[in-house]
Each structure stands twice: as structure tokens, then as C-alpha cells.
Amino acid sequence: MPEIVSCRFEVSGVRTDKDVKKALQALYDIFADHGLGQATFEITAGQHAQLVVKHVDTVRPDPEIIDRALARAGDFRVVSSRLHSPD
């Protein structure tokens, strides 16, 4: 049985609630096609926001696809990723 795991992406440019809404909409538009589930942003005092994406362990999220979707929504870029972190 597949296990739910998460991965994290550091994202530049996402700083406000409005940015989060724009970025999440762009991600939701591609998630079903790529086997991805829920996504949340954690905005901290740091330079980059943390994007957490839930998915089954048989799916390997592609940082380039995530980056392209975010770039369409605004001046948002993936700067690093940690794939398949234990949930």
C-alpha cells in the first residue's frame, strides 16, 4: 500500500497571503496531472518560503515542473528541494 510522504521546496518571491493564493492556484492547476496532493506554504522570517507538497511515495515530484508553474503565477522560483521526506 502506498505511503503518503511530503517534499519541501524553498521558494523565492512568496511573501504575502496574496502571493500564496496565486502560487497555490498555479500548483493546483498541474497537481492532478502529476500525481501530487495537498500543498501549503510556510512563510517565515527567512529569505525563502517553504512549500510543502504531499504525495504518495510512488510519485517523484519534478522541481522543474513546480518551478514552471510558480513562474507562471508571478516572480516565484524554486531555489532548492528535499524530495520524499518522511511525513
Side-chain angles (χ1 to χ4, degrees):
M1 179 173 211
E3 182 179 339
I4 300 296
V5 295
S6 62
C7 57
R8 288 184 167 267
F9 298 88
E10 283 190 54
V11 177
S12 66
V14 177
R15 306 299 314 151
T16 67
D17 288 343
K18 185 177 178 179
D19 292 342
V20 168
K21 288 178 186 176
K22 287 171 47 177
L24 286 176
Q25 184 58 57
L27 293 172
Y28 291 145
D29 289 346
I30 66 156
F31 271 22
D33 291 339
H34 297 281
L36 302 173
Q38 286 185 312
T40 59
F41 276 94
E42 297 173 357
I43 306 290
T44 65
Q47 183 177 1
H48 304 297
Q50 297 292 311
L51 168 63
V52 181
V53 178
K54 302 278 184 175
H55 56 92
V56 293
D57 60 357
T58 57
V59 171
R60 184 133 182 106
D62 185 337
E64 289 182 24
I65 291 170
I66 302 289
D67 187 57
R68 283 195 302 268
L70 290 171
R72 282 192 298 273
D75 190 21
F76 313 136
R77 302 299 301 189
V78 171
V79 294
S80 71
S81 61
R82 280 195 325 251
L83 301 180
H84 294 292
S85 303
D87 199 23

